């Protein structure tokens, strides 16, 4: 029997011209007080790009995902390399992969992190600067959109978790806690209502210590560490 030659089956799609790369970036939030002001504001560090594309523009800290790295390790590594910061909280935010977000095909796995104010104040480095989250310059790539989304996540999460603890020292007053909420939400909160809500939350433990100063002594609290900063579902806790 003569066997007819059958052409090789074609792949359902052609291979891309460019290899897709995976990057890891981090939006880092902290609090700082402007000169002459008592109220803190949400700030974040940006890195000035030294090469094209977008040379000279500010961008989020980040870098390429290593072949032997998991995502959270890469986020911590790139964060330390670009800003020398160790976050008090780190969580995956979203994957950004629009085709036109970069001249080459790049998917960015973005994390968001919280850094306490006393840590961020000593972190100024070459090519890194801190900016008010509400007064950012035009950012490289789609990083404006990424920051906007991260701020939305932070403001939503502060309402149902104890995520504010990531911006506070281990012991704090109720007024200091309220300041963090006001900075994140961008509005004033009634002190009496805030105290009532906190007292019924079972997340704070009063201490026997007080903050003294120009006003009457204020009791210090710390968080109930049996409660997580935020519910991460079945994901492992580090």
């Amino acid at each position: 029997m003569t066997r007819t030659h059958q052409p090789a089956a074609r792949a359902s799609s052609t291979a891309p011209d460019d290899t897709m790369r995976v990057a890891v970036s981090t939006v880092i939030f902290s609090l700082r007080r402007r000169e002459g002001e008592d109220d803190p504001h949400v700030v974040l560090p940006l890195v000035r790009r030294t090469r094209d594309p977008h040379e000279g523009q500010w961008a989020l800290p980040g870098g390429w995902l290593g072949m032997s790295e998991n995502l959270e390790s890469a986020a911590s590594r790139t964060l330390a390399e670009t800003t020398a910061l160790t976050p008090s909280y780190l969580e995956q935010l979203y994957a950004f992969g629009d085709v036109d977000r970069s001249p080459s095909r790049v998917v960015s796995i973005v994390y968001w992190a919280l850094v306490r104010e006393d840590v961020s104040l000593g972190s100024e480095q070459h090519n890194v600067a801190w900016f008010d989250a509400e007064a950012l310059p035009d950012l490289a790539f789609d990083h404006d959109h990424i920051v906007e989304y991260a701020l939305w996540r932070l403001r939503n999460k502060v309402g149902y978790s104890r995520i504010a603890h990531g911006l506070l020292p281990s012991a704090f007053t109720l007024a200091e806690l309220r300041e963090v909420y006001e900075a994140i939400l961008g509005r004033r909160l009634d002190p009496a209502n805030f105290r009532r809500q906190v007292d019924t939350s079972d997340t704070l433990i009063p201490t026997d210590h007080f903050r003294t100063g120009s006003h009457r002594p204020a009791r210090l609290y710390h968080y109930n560490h049996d409660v997580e900063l935020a519910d991460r579902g079945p994901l492992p806790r580090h």
Side-chain angles (χ1 to χ4, degrees):
M1 178 182 295
T2 303
R3 179 173 295 176
T4 58
H5 174 71
Q6 297 293 329
R10 291 187 177 182
S12 59
S13 61
T14 58
D17 295 332
D18 299 313
T19 301
M20 182 172 64
R21 301 192 69 183
V22 177
V24 178
S25 299
T26 309
V27 186
I28 310 152
F29 293 126
S30 188
L31 296 181
R32 287 193 180 178
R33 288 162 173 78
R34 297 172 185 150
E35 187 174 354
E37 295 185 12
D38 294 329
D39 297 331
H41 298 265
V42 177
V43 295
L44 67 155
L46 299 172
V47 179
R48 190 186 292 277
R49 290 186 56 80
T50 58
R51 63 177 67 88
D52 283 330
H54 303 288
E55 182 179 0
Q57 275 192 276
W58 294 98
L60 294 169
W64 299 113
L65 176 67
M67 291 295 293
S68 60
E69 285 184 304
N70 62 42
L71 290 169
E72 192 156 319
S73 296
S76 297
R77 175 183 57 78
T78 57
L79 190 58
E81 288 175 351
T82 53
T83 66
L85 290 171
T86 300
S88 55
Y89 180 78
L90 182 68
E91 181 187 0
Q92 191 175 132
L93 177 70
Y94 200 73
F96 294 83
D98 288 352
V99 174
D100 59 353
R101 67 182 304 269
S102 175
S104 58
R105 188 74 169 102
V106 176
V107 172
S108 286
I109 309 300
V110 179
Y111 281 75
W112 66 291
L114 301 180
V115 174
R116 295 185 173 94
E117 184 176 0
D118 59 338
V119 176
S120 71
L121 286 172
S123 64
E124 298 288 1
Q125 285 193 270
H126 175 68
N127 227 39
V128 177
W130 288 80
F131 293 84
D132 192 312
E134 298 297 335
L136 297 178
D138 289 333
L139 304 185
F141 307 109
D142 56 353
H143 291 189
D144 300 86
H145 173 58
I146 293 174
V147 172
E148 181 182 7
Y149 183 68
L151 280 169
W152 176 85
R153 175 75 69 86
L154 175 63
R155 288 165 181 158
N156 277 271
K157 203 151 198 170
V158 77
Y160 65 84
S161 74
R162 68 179 191 94
I163 198 72
H165 177 51
L167 296 168
L168 284 164
S170 58
F172 48 87
T173 67
L174 291 183
E176 291 167 344
L177 176 62
R178 191 182 73 252
E179 281 184 345
V180 173
Y181 275 80
E182 289 176 341
I184 291 172
L185 297 174
R187 57 184 172 86
R188 294 288 187 182
L189 299 174
D190 179 74
N193 286 338
F194 184 79
R195 175 181 284 273
R196 281 194 294 271
Q197 292 172 358
V198 168
D199 285 342
T200 59
S201 68
D202 296 324
T203 59
L204 295 188
I205 299 175
T207 73
D208 295 327
H209 302 284
F210 292 81
R211 178 93 71 218
T212 58
S214 57
H215 303 286
R216 68 178 184 178
R219 185 180 294 276
L220 292 173
Y221 292 77
H222 64 78
Y223 270 107
N224 179 358
H225 294 290
D226 291 334
V227 181
E228 285 294 306
L229 277 178
D231 183 9
R232 302 185 65 183
L235 293 177
R237 293 171 179 174
H238 299 282

